[in-house]
Coordinates of all heavy atoms in Angstrom, one line a residue:
S240 N -4.5 -4.3 -8.5 CA -4.7 -4.7 -9.9 C -6.2 -5.2 -10.1 O -6.8 -5.8 -9.2 CB -3.8 -5.9 -10.2 OG -4.2 -6.4 -11.5
P241 N -6.8 -4.8 -11.2 CA -8.2 -5.2 -11.4 C -8.3 -6.7 -11.7 O -9.4 -7.3 -11.8 CB -8.6 -4.4 -12.6 CG -7.4 -4.0 -13.3 CD -6.3 -4.0 -12.3
R242 N -7.2 -7.4 -12.0 CA -7.2 -8.8 -12.3 C -6.3 -9.6 -11.4 O -5.5 -9.1 -10.7 CB -6.8 -9.1 -13.7 CG -6.4 -8.0 -14.6 CD -6.0 -8.4 -16.0 NE -4.6 -8.5 -16.1 CZ -4.0 -8.9 -17.2 NH1 -4.7 -9.3 -18.2 NH2 -2.7 -9.0 -17.2
K244 N -3.8 -11.7 -12.2 CA -2.8 -12.4 -13.1 C -1.4 -12.1 -12.8 O -0.9 -12.7 -11.8 CB -3.2 -11.8 -14.5 CG -4.4 -12.5 -15.1 CD -4.3 -12.5 -16.7 CE -5.3 -13.4 -17.2 NZ -5.3 -13.4 -18.7
N245 N -0.7 -11.2 -13.5 CA 0.8 -11.1 -13.3 C 1.1 -10.7 -11.9 O 2.0 -11.3 -11.2 CB 1.3 -10.1 -14.3 CG 1.0 -10.5 -15.7 OD1 0.5 -11.6 -16.0 ND2 1.4 -9.6 -16.6
T246 N 0.5 -9.6 -11.4 CA 0.8 -9.1 -10.1 C 0.4 -10.2 -9.0 O 1.1 -10.4 -8.0 CB 0.1 -7.8 -9.8 OG1 0.1 -7.0 -11.0 CG2 0.7 -7.0 -8.7
W247 N -0.7 -10.8 -9.2 CA -1.2 -11.8 -8.3 C -0.4 -13.0 -8.2 O -0.2 -13.6 -7.2 CB -2.7 -12.1 -8.6 CG -3.4 -12.7 -7.4 CD1 -3.7 -14.0 -7.3 CD2 -3.7 -12.1 -6.2 NE1 -4.3 -14.3 -6.1 CE2 -4.3 -13.1 -5.3 CE3 -3.5 -10.8 -5.7 CZ2 -4.7 -12.8 -4.1 CZ3 -4.0 -10.5 -4.4 CH2 -4.5 -11.5 -3.6
P312 N -0.2 -3.1 -10.7 CA 0.5 -3.1 -12.0 C 0.9 -1.7 -12.3 O 0.4 -0.8 -11.8 CB -0.6 -3.7 -12.9 CG -1.9 -3.2 -12.3 CD -1.6 -3.1 -10.8
V313 N 1.9 -1.6 -13.2 CA 2.2 -0.3 -13.7 C 1.2 0.1 -14.8 O 1.0 -0.7 -15.8 CB 3.7 -0.2 -14.3 CG1 3.9 1.1 -15.0 CG2 4.7 -0.5 -13.2
Y314 N 0.6 1.2 -14.6 CA -0.4 1.7 -15.6 C 0.1 3.1 -16.0 O 0.2 4.0 -15.2 CB -1.8 1.9 -15.1 CG -2.6 0.6 -15.1 CD1 -2.1 -0.6 -15.5 CD2 -4.0 0.7 -14.7 CE1 -2.9 -1.8 -15.5 CE2 -4.8 -0.5 -14.8 CZ -4.2 -1.7 -15.1 OH -5.0 -2.8 -15.1
A315 N 0.4 3.3 -17.3 CA 0.9 4.6 -17.8 C 2.0 5.2 -16.9 O 1.9 6.3 -16.4 CB -0.3 5.6 -17.9
L316 N 3.0 4.3 -16.6 CA 4.1 4.7 -15.8 C 3.8 5.1 -14.3 O 4.6 5.8 -13.7 CB 5.0 5.8 -16.5 CG 5.6 5.4 -17.8 CD1 6.4 6.5 -18.4 CD2 6.5 4.1 -17.7
N317 N 2.6 4.7 -13.9 CA 2.3 5.0 -12.5 C 1.5 3.9 -11.9 O 1.4 2.8 -12.5 CB 1.4 6.3 -12.5 CG 1.7 7.1 -11.2 OD1 1.6 6.6 -10.1 ND2 2.0 8.4 -11.4
S348 N 4.1 -5.2 -10.8 CA 4.5 -5.8 -12.1 C 4.2 -4.9 -13.2 O 3.3 -4.0 -13.2 CB 3.7 -7.1 -12.2 OG 2.5 -6.9 -12.8
T349 N 5.0 -5.1 -14.3 CA 4.9 -4.2 -15.5 C 5.2 -5.1 -16.7 O 5.8 -6.1 -16.6 CB 5.8 -3.0 -15.4 OG1 5.6 -2.2 -16.5 CG2 7.3 -3.4 -15.3
A350 N 4.8 -4.6 -17.9 CA 5.2 -5.3 -19.1 C 6.7 -5.0 -19.4 O 7.5 -5.9 -19.6 CB 4.4 -4.8 -20.3
G351 N 7.1 -3.7 -19.3 CA 8.5 -3.4 -19.6 C 9.1 -2.3 -18.9 O 10.4 -2.3 -18.8
A352 N 8.4 -1.4 -18.3 CA 9.0 -0.2 -17.8 C 8.2 0.4 -16.6 O 7.0 0.1 -16.4 CB 9.1 0.9 -18.8
G353 N 8.9 1.1 -15.8 CA 8.2 1.9 -14.7 C 8.1 1.2 -13.4 O 7.7 1.9 -12.4
F380 N 7.7 -8.2 -16.8 CA 7.4 -9.5 -17.3 C 7.4 -9.6 -18.8 O 7.3 -10.7 -19.3 CB 6.0 -10.0 -16.8 CG 6.0 -10.4 -15.4 CD1 5.0 -9.8 -14.5 CD2 6.9 -11.3 -14.9 CE1 5.0 -10.2 -13.2 CE2 6.8 -11.7 -13.5 CZ 5.9 -11.1 -12.7
Ligands
FMN650 C1 -4.0 0.5 -18.8 C2 -2.7 -0.2 -18.8 C3 -1.6 0.6 -18.8 C4 -0.3 0.0 -18.8 N1 0.8 0.8 -18.8 C5 2.0 0.3 -18.8 C6 3.2 1.1 -18.8 O1 3.2 2.3 -18.7 N2 4.4 0.5 -18.9 C7 4.5 -0.9 -19.0 O2 5.6 -1.4 -19.1 N3 3.4 -1.7 -19.0 C8 2.2 -1.1 -18.9 N4 1.1 -2.0 -18.8 C9 1.2 -3.4 -18.7 C10 1.0 -3.9 -17.3 O3 1.8 -3.2 -16.3 C11 1.5 -5.4 -17.1 O4 1.0 -6.2 -18.1 C12 1.2 -5.9 -15.7 O5 2.0 -7.0 -15.4 C13 -0.3 -6.3 -15.6 O6 -0.5 -6.8 -14.3 P1 -1.8 -7.6 -13.9 O7 -1.8 -8.9 -14.6 O8 -1.8 -7.7 -12.4 O9 -3.0 -6.8 -14.4 C14 -0.2 -1.4 -18.8 C15 -1.3 -2.2 -18.9 C16 -2.6 -1.6 -18.9 C17 -3.8 -2.4 -18.9

Side-chain angles (χ1 to χ4, degrees):
S240 173
R242 357 180 264 178
K244 281 209 166 175
N245 303 352
T246 319
W247 198 251
V313 172
Y314 276 7
L316 298 179
N317 212 307
S348 86
T349 183
F380 285 127

